[in-house]
Amino acid sequence: MSADPVPSQLIGGRYRLERLLSAAPGSTPAVPLAQGALWLARDQLAAEAPCALRLIAAAQDPQRVRELWARLQGVLHPQVPRLGAALQEGADLWLVREWVAGRTYGQMLTARSERQLVFGAGEVLLLLRQLLPVLAALHSQELLHGDLSPDNLLRRDSDGLPVLLDFGLIRGRAAADRSAPQGATPGYAPPELLHGEQILKLWRKVNLGLEDMNQESWNSISRSKPGIVGNQGIGCIIVHSCFFAC
């Protein structure tokens, strides 16, 4: 790993670092080491347009990251940010993606909790229905996210749709890619993946079940499991409804 990047540093002769958004343990704010550091940068060849740059942590296999990033570029969906190049800068590997303005669902959960507000059943159902096509597009490329948590989902300002973020833990379905996710958010990594098991069959079953779910059935679940729609609202829904298989 090269010296720590600093603001105004130019990456790949094109992207000027502006502000650190997240960092590895020991920095503030901290995220799992496996994900590396995320920066807001400016594209010098596109009128200073904002973009996100992820510095891949040393614990990652750079060749594997490059291969999966190339496959991820083939996932074409409006709720997946456009992905740029994988740039080698000295000993560091950087991944470039489109900047998306909005708030993460983790931030929204915190804001609501501070006001003693929760997400309603209808909101959660809408989120799931908006998100399922994105995951289907990802799975169509034989890819699994591996850390689909509220902090890795962003509600886009322009249209209110959820956007899938942070592909630092993206993996394929090959046997070699079924290792335990390093640095995944506790409670959100697929438990089947941790045991080296096939999980997409489970996902298809959950997918079908959610497509058939309506407001009345969800209210029934809420009454029988009151903790599902509450302060941990979306987090509980994510864990118990579909994110185990993503």
Side-chain angles (χ1 to χ4, degrees), residues 64 68 142 144 146 169-182 189-201:
R64 175 183 173 277
L68 288 175
E142 299 289 295
L144 304 172
L169 297 174
I170 201 77
R171 65 193 64 240
R173 286 180 56 201
D177 289 320
R178 294 183 191 168
S179 57
Q182 297 180 9
E192 293 78 19
L193 186 62
L194 296 178
H195 298 294
E197 299 172 0
Q198 174 58 265
I199 67 176
L200 285 189
K201 291 183 179 178

Side-chain angles (χ1 to χ4, degrees), residues 21-119:
L21 301 175
S22 64
S27 301
T28 302
V31 298
L33 177 62
Q35 297 184 28
L38 182 67
W39 285 78
L40 169 63
R42 297 284 174 175
D43 188 347
Q44 305 302 293
L45 301 183
E48 299 281 329
C51 55
L53 265 66
R54 169 74 68 184
L55 173 60
I56 297 301
Q60 295 272 26
D61 178 356
Q63 182 59 35
R64 175 183 173 277
V65 170
R66 284 181 177 276
E67 291 173 357
L68 288 175
W69 191 251
R71 289 173 56 191
L72 189 59
Q73 289 173 323
V75 179
L76 303 178
H77 193 281
Q79 287 163 256
V80 174
R82 291 190 298 272
L83 305 180
L87 302 173
Q88 194 71 42
E89 186 76 12
D92 294 334
L93 178 62
W94 294 81
L95 302 178
V96 182
R97 71 161 170 82
E98 172 190 16
W99 175 260
V100 182
R103 291 195 301 166
T104 69
Y105 280 85
Q107 292 171 329
M108 294 167 63
L109 274 171
T110 299
R112 291 201 181 194
S113 178
E114 290 173 349
R115 293 179 293 160
Q116 297 185 335
L117 298 175
V118 299
F119 285 89

Side-chain angles (χ1 to χ4, degrees), residues 128-208:
L128 293 175
R129 287 169 176 157
Q130 291 174 331
L131 188 60
L132 290 176
V134 191
L135 299 176
L138 194 66
H139 294 169
S140 71
Q141 301 296 318
E142 299 289 295
L143 291 168
L144 304 172
H145 188 281
D147 191 26
L148 200 47
S149 66
D151 287 333
N152 288 336
L153 275 178
L154 180 140
R155 187 179 188 276
R156 188 163 52 198
D157 285 344
S158 60
D159 56 14
L161 288 175
V163 175
L164 192 58
L165 296 180
D166 200 347
F167 299 95
L169 297 174
I170 201 77
R171 65 193 64 240
R173 286 180 56 201
D177 289 320
R178 294 183 191 168
S179 57
Q182 297 180 9
T185 306
Y188 293 95
E192 293 78 19
L193 186 62
L194 296 178
H195 298 294
E197 299 172 0
Q198 174 58 265
I199 67 176
L200 285 189
K201 291 183 179 178
L202 170 63
W203 160 249
R204 293 190 184 103
K205 292 178 182 177
V206 176
N207 190 349
L208 291 173

